[in-house]
Amino acid sequence: MIWSIAWKNVWRSRKRSLIVISAVTLGTIAGVFTSGMMNGWVNQRIDAVINTEMSHIQVHHPDYLLNNELKYTIPNYQKVITTLNQNPAVKQISSRIKVTAMAATSRGNTALTLQGVNIEDEKAIRDIHEKIVKNGGTYLGTEMRNPIVISDKTAEQLRIKSYSVTSETIDSLKTLGVPENIANKTGPLKNKRFKTEKLYKKALEKQFTKKEINEYGHHLLNAAKHYRLRSKIVFTFNERNGGLVYQTYRVCGIFKTNNTMFDQMNAFVLHNDLAEVADFEDKEYHEIAILLNDNEKPEDVKTNLKKTFPGLSFLSWKDLSPETALMTDFMDVWYIIIIGIILMALAFGIINTMLMAILERTKELGMLMAIGMNRKRVFNMIMLETIFLTFVGALAGMVLGALSIFITGKTGLNFSSVSEGFEAVGWSAQVYPSIGFDFFILVTIMVVVTGILSSIIPARKALKMNPVEAIRTE
Amino acid sequence: MNVIETKNLEKVYDGKAVEVKAVNKVNLNIEEGEFTAIVGPSGSGKTTLLNLISGLDSPTAGSIHIDDTDLSTLNRKQLVDFRLKNIGFVFQSYNLIPVLTAGENVSFIMELQGRDKHETEARTREILENVGLADRYHSRPNQLSGGQQQRVAVARALASKPRFIIADEPTANLDTKSTENLLDIMEELNQKEKITFIFSTHDQRVVKKARRIILLEDGRIVKDEQKKQ
C-alpha cells in the first residue's frame, strides 16, 4: 500500500510533477546522448587504432624500439610465425619492414616511414585499402613498378595534390546535393589551379559567404581536389648496413584516415621492392602485427607470448597508444561524472518539489502519524515518492536518449566544419554514437541513489512534524 | 471495566506571559462500551484532553492508563504502535487520504497493522456496509459528500478493531441530516459491537445522543453526568 500511495502521490499535483519529470527527462537525454557520443568516439578511435594503425599486438626486436635501427630485425622469425599461426587466439598476422626515409618531389619534401608490406596479409589485418580517397587511385596491387600508397596529407606536402574547378567539378557538386546557385558561384574560379588547400580556401572565401562555406565548404574542397597519380617520389634512406640509398616510387594510391598524424608519417610500399634496395633478406622483418579474434584478449595473449619468447618485445595497442587506453579506462568515470553532475543539478529541483509537497500535506501526514503510521513508514513513503518522481523522468530520458543514439548511430553526426582539429588528434569528424546496456544499469542505480538522497531533507522535515500541530494546520 | 483511567492529569502550556493550564488535575474513568461526550466552551481543554488520552500529547503531570498500560512508560515508537492497535480516530475535517478510494482508506490502517490481505478485504467491505457505503468502495473522497466522507472516517477508525474511538468534533462540518445519520451509525456500532466512543463536541445533537456528558471548563471537569438508560 505504501508503494501505491507513493505512486499516486506523485500524480497528485500533476502539473508540478510533470515539470520536474520533464526536467529529469531532458537532463537524462542530455547525459545519455553526450555519453553515447563520447563512447562512439572512443569506440571509433579504438577501432582505428586496432584496424588501421596498430593491430592488437606488435612484435619487435627489443632494441629496434629504442632508435628504429634497421639492423634490429626479429630474431627466430620463422619460429615466431609458426607459433603465432598455431595460436587459436590469433586471427591474422602481417610482417613489415619499416624504414625512415626522406621523400622528395620537384615541388616538396617530407620525412616518412616507409612500410614494406605483403599485400594480402596487410589487407587482411588493416583497412588502409578501404581508405583510398575518391579519385585517389588504388591500393598496392597494380602493375605499376615500385608503387607507393601515400596519404592525402603527404600528397599535399609533396604538392601532388592540387585544387581546380572544372565543368565536372560543378556537375559533381550538384550531384552531391549542393544547390545550383552555390555550385555556379564557383564559375570565376574555373580553370584556375591552386597548389595548396590554403590558396583554394582563400579563393573560396572571396566567392562565398561564411555561412555558405560552413555549409558547403567540405563539398567545395573535395569536388575540386585532384591528385597527380603516377607522380614520382624519390626516397633517400639508409640501407641495412648504414649506406645511403635512393629509390623512386610512383604514386598508385592516396589514402586518408581520421588520424592526420598517422597519415603524414606513413606510406606503404611492396615488401620486395623495399627489401631489395634496403638489403634485407627474405624472412627479415622489423615488425609483426597481430590481429586477434577477441578484442578483450590482447593483454592475456601478450603475456603468454612473452613467456614463449622472452627475448622479443610484445606490445599491445594499449602500450602503443596509451592515450586511447586511458580514454577507454576513463569512460566509466566519465559516465559517472556527467550523469552525476546532471542528477546533482536536478536534485535541487526534486528536493524543492518534495518540500512543497510535504508542506501541502502537513495535515495529512499529521493524521497518518496520529493513526499509527510509524516514522520508518513515513520516511519510506516520501523516499519512494521521490524515487518514483526521479525514476519516471529518468526512464523517459533513457528511452528517448537510447532512441536518439539508435538513430544518430545509424546516420552519424557530422562535425566536418571542425574536422581538421578532430583529425589532428586522431578523432573522426563523423561520429556514430553508441552505448552499452551496462550504462543504463549505471544510470538506473545513480537515479535511485539520487532519489534516496533527495528524499532525506523532505523526509526529515516530515518526521519533525508534531502530529497534534500538523492536524490543526489549515 | 475501565478502559481509560486518568489521575491528576495536567497539561501546562508555556505562554509568552503566563502559563496556561489546558488540563487541570483531571481524574477520569471511562468504561468499556461508553458513549461519552466531552463538552465545554472553546479553550476549555477538550481537544487537549483527547490528545493526552490518545497518546498524541504528553501530560505535564499525572498519569493515563489505557487498560493496564501506563502511557508514560511508552517511548515514541511504542506509542505509535499502541495507537495503531488500540485507538481509532475520527477528525473534524475527515482527513481521508485523497488519492485513495474509500475502500483503500479503510483497508490502509489494517495493512499498517500487518493483517492478512483477504481478511483486510473482507473486513473493509463489512465495515463499509455497516456505515452504509458498500456501493462507494471505489469512490475517491472528492466524489463523496461531507457526511459520506465522515462515515468513511468512522469506518477507518473501526477497521483497526480499537479499544475505543476518539472523535474530535466529528459533526462540526456536517449538515443536520448527515449528522443524524452519522450519530445513528455510531450509536448502533456502540450498542451492537460494544465499541467505546469518546467525543469532544459543541453540537447539541451529539450531546443529546451521548449517554455520559463530561463538562470541562478551564481544564477542569465541572460536571460529569450519566444519563439514565
Side-chain angles (χ1 to χ4, degrees), chain A residues 1-2 4-5 8-9 12 363-364 366-375 377 381 463 466-468 471-472 474, chain B residues 13 47 51 56-57 76 80 83-84 87 89 91 93 95-100 104 107-109 111-113 140 156:
Chain A
M1 186 69 98
I2 296 283
S4 165
I5 294 179
K8 287 172 179 172
N9 279 339
R12 193 181 274 209
K363 196 180 181 86
E364 186 180 313
M367 177 277 293
L368 288 171
M369 288 192 269
I371 63 170
M373 192 166 179
N374 61 30
R375 291 159 66 86
R377 281 184 168 131
M381 184 178 74
L463 294 179
N466 177 345
V468 173
I471 291 167
R472 276 197 216 126
E474 287 306 324
Chain B
Y13 291 111
T47 302
N51 287 341
L56 283 172
D57 210 349
R76 187 158 59 177
V80 172
R83 285 200 297 270
L84 179 65
I87 309 172
F89 289 90
F91 303 96
S93 49
N95 285 3
L96 299 178
I97 302 171
V99 292
L100 300 184
E104 287 167 338
S107 58
F108 174 62
I109 197 152
E111 291 194 23
L112 286 180
Q113 287 179 321
R140 291 266 176 96
R156 179 180 64 189

